[in-house]
């Protein structure tokens, strides 16, 4: 095992709870940051994970309502809709030299985090996983993979490598990506068509890719064009092939939020794509229509 790390997890939900439990099980010190009720539950029960990939297990974690001591890294795993409120739990003076590692959807959050914390310690990351918090401290991990790309063009490489090593040893597939822009846009160009289409029509991916195939192809073409305009390579055929490999019943996290009546990350995903399209003069009419229709439906 590499040198044990002390890692804070801001938002121990589906993604954060899974990573917190895996890191703790591997011998790292984990401090979960959450509201009073969730923090008290986690201190009492730890985090239980149910997973075909990792097995069923319970890991002990520490928990508090705010960061009060130095850590090696803080994983920021809240939804974009809760980001501003959550960041009040992590004062810049306390975070100090630690890495701030957002695992958020979208491409606009790194700039906001660099305005609050040390810019050369903000390490945007991308995670590919299906993991859901079904109750405080109870995580159901559904995907047969947990893949993480760590980035940060100005972050010291050795710091990224150390965190990637710890995440890899605890069971994820973690690597340091060479280009922050490419990593973030690769995720958004894949996620936006999937999230917008499944949420707009309330159908799983299998139905979306058959019944609404023309719209899916148009959305992928638009997202690809915007990604390329932003300097990130994108391959529409590869994106469509990845959708085809998913189980037909797969749902996007945005669709799950809509079904549960939770706020949607519509602005962070669809809105960010449209703002980038406008900046670069790239037409995105299908994306624009779906975002408008979702907003008109009260999202």
């Amino acid at each position: 095992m590499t040198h044990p790390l002390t890692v804070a997890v801001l938002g121990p939900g589906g993604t954060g709870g899974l990573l917190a439990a895996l890191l703790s099980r591997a011998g790292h010190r984990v401090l979960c940051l959450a509201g009073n009720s969730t923090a008290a539950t986690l201190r009492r029960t730890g985090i239980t994970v149910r997973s075909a990939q990792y097995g069923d297990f319970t890991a002990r974690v520490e928990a508090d309502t705010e960061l009060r001591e130095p850590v090696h890294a803080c994983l920021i795993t809240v939804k974009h809709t809760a980001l501003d409120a959550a960041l009040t739990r992590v004062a810049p003076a306390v975070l100090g030299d630690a890495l701030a590692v957002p695992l958020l959807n979208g491409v606009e959050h790194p700039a906001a985090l660099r305005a609050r914390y040390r810019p050369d310690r903000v390490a945007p990351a991308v995670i590919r996983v299906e993991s859901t918090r079904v109750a405080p401290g109870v995580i159901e991990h559904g995907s047969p993979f947990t893949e993480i790309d760590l980035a940060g063009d100005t972050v010291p490489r050795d710091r990224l490598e150390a965190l990637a090593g710890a995440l890899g040893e605890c069971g994820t597939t973690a690597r340091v990506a060479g280009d922050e822009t490419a990593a973030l846009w690769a995720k958004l160009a894949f996620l936006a068509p999937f999230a917008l289409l499944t949420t707009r029509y309330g159908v799983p991916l299998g139905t979306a890719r058959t019944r609404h195939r023309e719209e899916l192809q148009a959305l992928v073409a638009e997202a690809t064009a915007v990604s390329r305009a932003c300097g990130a390579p994108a391959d529409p055929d590869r994106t469509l092939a990845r959708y085809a490999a998913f189980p037909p019943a797969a749902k996007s996290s945005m669709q799950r939020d809509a079904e549960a009546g939770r706020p949607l990350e519509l602005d962070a995903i669809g809105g960010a794509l449209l703002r980038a399209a406008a900046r670069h003069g790239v037409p995105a009419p299908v994306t624009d229509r779906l975002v408008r229709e979702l907003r008109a439906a009260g999202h």
Side-chain angles (χ1 to χ4, degrees):
M1 177 181 168
T2 55
H3 183 71
L5 301 180
T6 298
V7 179
V9 176
L10 178 61
T15 296
L18 175 66
L19 296 179
L22 290 172
L23 286 165
S24 175
R25 183 171 72 164
H28 300 282
R29 183 179 173 221
V30 177
L31 176 58
C32 292
L33 305 175
N36 278 310
S37 175
T38 296
T41 298
L42 297 184
R43 285 194 294 268
R44 187 173 64 253
T45 68
I47 298 176
T48 295
V49 173
R50 298 196 286 260
S51 167
Q53 182 182 9
Y54 300 116
D56 297 353
F57 68 96
T58 298
R60 306 300 301 180
V61 295
E62 299 175 48
D64 205 340
T65 57
E66 64 181 271
L67 185 65
R68 305 178 195 274
E69 61 182 280
V71 294
H72 291 98
C74 177
L75 307 183
I76 301 171
T77 53
V78 295
K79 290 291 181 101
H80 208 288
T81 50
L83 180 61
D84 289 346
L87 291 180
T88 62
R89 303 189 189 280
V90 183
V94 180
L95 189 65
D97 184 59
L99 295 185
V101 186
L103 293 108
L104 276 71
N105 293 322
V107 293
E108 297 173 335
H109 56 276
L113 290 169
R114 289 186 171 117
R116 178 175 174 83
Y117 302 114
R118 274 190 61 167
D120 60 344
R121 293 296 184 268
V122 174
V126 169
I127 187 166
R128 290 174 289 276
V129 68
E130 184 181 356
S131 187
T132 304
R133 187 191 91 149
V134 295
V138 182
I139 308 297
E140 287 188 353
H141 171 231
S143 56
F145 53 82
T146 305
E147 301 170 351
I148 302 171
D149 292 340
L150 292 169
D153 295 342
T154 62
V155 178
R157 180 82 180 197
D158 62 327
R159 298 285 297 273
L160 294 174
E161 295 283 4
L163 182 57
L167 290 167
E169 287 180 355
C170 78
T172 75
T173 301
R175 69 182 186 101
V176 177
D179 184 323
E180 174 182 318
T181 299
L184 291 173
W185 271 101
K187 172 73 176 287
L188 186 60
F190 170 82
L191 177 63
F194 176 21
L196 293 174
L197 202 60
T198 57
T199 307
R200 168 61 182 85
Y201 295 110
V203 296
L205 180 57
T207 304
R209 68 191 179 207
T210 52
R211 186 184 304 166
H212 302 284
R213 184 156 191 82
E214 286 189 7
E215 278 179 284
L216 180 61
Q217 290 173 327
L219 287 166
V220 169
E222 291 175 3
T224 297
V226 176
S227 178
R228 288 174 175 166
C230 292
D235 182 346
D237 293 333
R238 185 180 178 191
T239 299
L240 290 168
R242 285 185 63 199
Y243 295 144
F246 268 62
K251 295 181 178 182
S252 65
S253 59
M254 184 187 288
Q255 182 185 0
R256 293 184 187 279
D257 286 340
E259 291 173 347
R262 294 187 291 261
L264 303 191
E265 294 184 300
L266 184 59
D267 189 64
I269 296 172
L273 184 63
L274 291 174
R275 285 187 287 275
R279 282 196 305 273
H280 293 281
V282 177
V286 181
T287 302
D288 180 64
R289 175 174 59 79
L290 291 185
V291 169
R292 283 189 287 105
E293 289 173 354
L294 284 165
R295 285 179 174 151
H299 300 305

